[in-house]
Every structure is written in structure tokens, then in C-alpha cells.
Amino acid sequence: AQSVTQPDIHITVSEGASLELRCNYSYGATPYLFWYVQSPGQGLQLLLKYFSGDTLVQGIKGFEAEFKRSQSSFNLRKPSVHWSDAAEYFCAVDSPSGSARQLTFGSGTQLTVLP
Amino acid sequence: EAQVTQNPRYLITVTGKKLTVTCSQNMNHEYMSWYRQDPGLGLRQIYYSMNVEVTDKGDVPEGYKVSRKEKRNFPLILESPSPNQTSLYFCASSLSGIVRTGVTGELFFGEGSRLTVL
């Protein structure tokens, strides 16, 4: 079965600094990968997704992620963090069947942004 | 506005008192699902529905029931809540239950329902 690991439970960065959130997956084939963001008091919102093709994908709010098959990683990055980026971030991977029922989420990384 | 609406957003109840958390979406989505979110565990799927009258268990279905009588509604029922069901619950929907269909596989989430069972 597929699995997702987010090694960092909590990350703190200063506003304006760069950000990288790590995501590692375990999967037997070519995965479809996602990053979701959960702002305080809100539901999850899709930031970006990787299906195929270019391994660097752009998302909303200035985020990007790079798929590295050799490292089984799909790390999320942002060049300059804004205070409004403080939220919890979830990486997710689908299953070989492609069913949403079997979408697996990581345990999340809480991002704190210092002024 | 396209949205998934959950009610109530916050609820404190006592052990054994039946409760229902409603979920409604206005996007004509076929697929709907319930998750619970607990610290350190991420999101775990409780039940899902590929379409009207079609529901199935997710990873943690014990103690929960669901129904899908209409396309837009997918209520979560706790017949006899227990303290281990204290959690943050999310309803989600997508146009298609197949993630790999691209945009139609994107999940849309409600704002969450925080449930405390004493």
C-alpha cells in the first residue's frame, strides 16, 4: 500500500524567508502527488498536484513543488513566505487505482511565520 | 459560490447521545467522503460515497454511519458517541471519484466540525 511521510511536524520561518516542506512517499508505480493547505479554521484547499510531465509544478499562492523519483520526494517550496502562509500543510498520494477513496494523506506540517 | 457546508461547526456532547453532522455540496459532485483529523495522524477516511445510494467503509468506520439519499447531502451519524470520537471532522467532495481524471478529481473540503464527546 502507498504511504506518505512528512518528517517535519512543525516548522518556523521568518516572513520573507524561503520555505521548503518535505514529503516522502512509498509507492510501487508512478504516483499522483498533491499538496493541500489548511488555514486556521478552514478546510483543506488544493495547492498543487503532480500527474506527469514536468517534474517542477507550480501552484497557487506562489508555491511550487518538485517531484524527484530517485528520492521518492515531492517537496513544497516558496521563495518568500508571507504571514498569511501560516497554516498546516498536507502531502497526499493516490493509489494505483486512481480512486479518491484511496488517497493517502501525510500527518501534516504546521508552519509558523514570525514577523 | 461553490462550497461544501458542514453543520454544526462545533459541538460538545455526552457519551451515548446520538448526533448527526450534516454535509451538503452545491457542485453536483458524485463523490463525497468523511475524514477525521487527529494530531499526528493526518486525515483518515471514515466513509465514502461514489454516488447516490452507494456508500462504503473507509479506514476507520467503526462507530459511524452514513447515508446518501440525495446527491448533494452526505450526513455522518454517530449513533452512540464515545470519547475516542472526539476529533475534527471534514467532509469532502469531488466531481469524480477518480483522482487521475485531472481537475475532476480535486477534492473540495468543508470547513470542518470540531466534536467533543465527554
Side-chain angles (χ1 to χ4, degrees):
Chain A
Q2 70 275 15
S3 65
V4 178
T5 302
Q6 293 180 246
D8 305 305
I9 296 173
H10 196 174
I11 283 184
T12 300
V13 300
S14 297
E15 191 168 18
S18 63
L19 171 70
E20 183 169 31
L21 303 182
R22 296 184 291 166
C23 172
N24 295 101
Y25 66 89
S26 173
Y27 196 87
T30 301
Y32 282 26
L33 295 155
F34 308 83
W35 275 100
Y36 280 84
V37 60
Q38 182 184 9
S39 298
Q42 302 294 315
L44 282 73
Q45 179 185 22
L46 182 66
L47 272 180
L48 49 78
K49 59 194 174 191
Y50 170 76
F51 282 176
S52 64
D54 193 347
T55 56
L56 185 64
V57 294
Q58 303 297 321
I60 62 172
K61 305 185 181 187
F63 284 91
E64 65 179 25
E66 186 171 13
F67 170 61
K68 292 186 177 179
R69 185 189 302 274
S70 61
Q71 299 177 16
S72 297
S73 69
F74 187 57
N75 294 348
L76 182 71
R77 302 194 295 244
K78 187 169 186 179
S80 177
V81 170
H82 188 262
W83 63 266
S84 60
D85 293 324
E88 189 157 20
Y89 292 80
F90 292 93
C91 183
V93 64
D94 81 327
S95 72
S97 71
S99 171
R101 169 276 179 271
Q102 292 172 312
L103 196 63
T104 300
F105 288 86
S107 56
T109 298
Q110 183 70 45
L111 174 66
T112 297
V113 180
L114 300 176
Chain B
E1 179 189 355
Q3 59 186 2
V4 178
T5 304
Q6 296 179 227
N7 280 296
R9 294 287 312 280
Y10 302 91
L11 179 63
I12 299 174
T13 189
V14 296
T15 298
K17 187 176 181 181
K18 180 180 177 179
L19 68 92
T20 299
V21 185
T22 63
C23 174
S24 181
Q25 50 91 5
N26 62 0
M27 296 169 280
N28 202 34
H29 283 175
E30 291 189 349
Y31 178 86
M32 298 186 75
S33 180
W34 277 102
Y35 292 89
R36 59 178 290 174
Q37 182 184 4
D38 302 290
L41 297 178
L43 275 76
R44 294 180 293 168
Q45 190 175 58
I46 303 170
Y47 269 94
Y48 67 98
S49 170
M50 297 298 285
N51 212 328
V52 176
E53 301 293 357
V54 181
T55 64
D56 209 344
K57 296 177 181 178
D59 299 314
V60 289
E62 294 77 20
Y64 305 95
K65 288 175 59 176
V66 294
S67 69
R68 187 94 182 270
K69 294 184 172 59
E70 308 165 277
K71 200 170 190 177
R72 63 183 294 124
N73 296 323
F74 191 45
L76 179 69
I77 303 159
L78 285 73
E79 293 271 2
S80 182
S82 62
N84 65 10
Q85 292 179 297
T86 292
S87 187
L88 179 59
Y89 292 86
F90 287 102
C91 181
S93 71
S94 69
L95 185 61
S96 160
I98 304 301
V99 168
R100 296 190 176 208
T101 53
V103 66
T104 58
E106 177 180 345
L107 280 174
F108 292 83
F109 285 82
E111 294 183 320
S113 296
R114 185 168 292 283
L115 171 64
T116 301
V117 183
L118 302 176

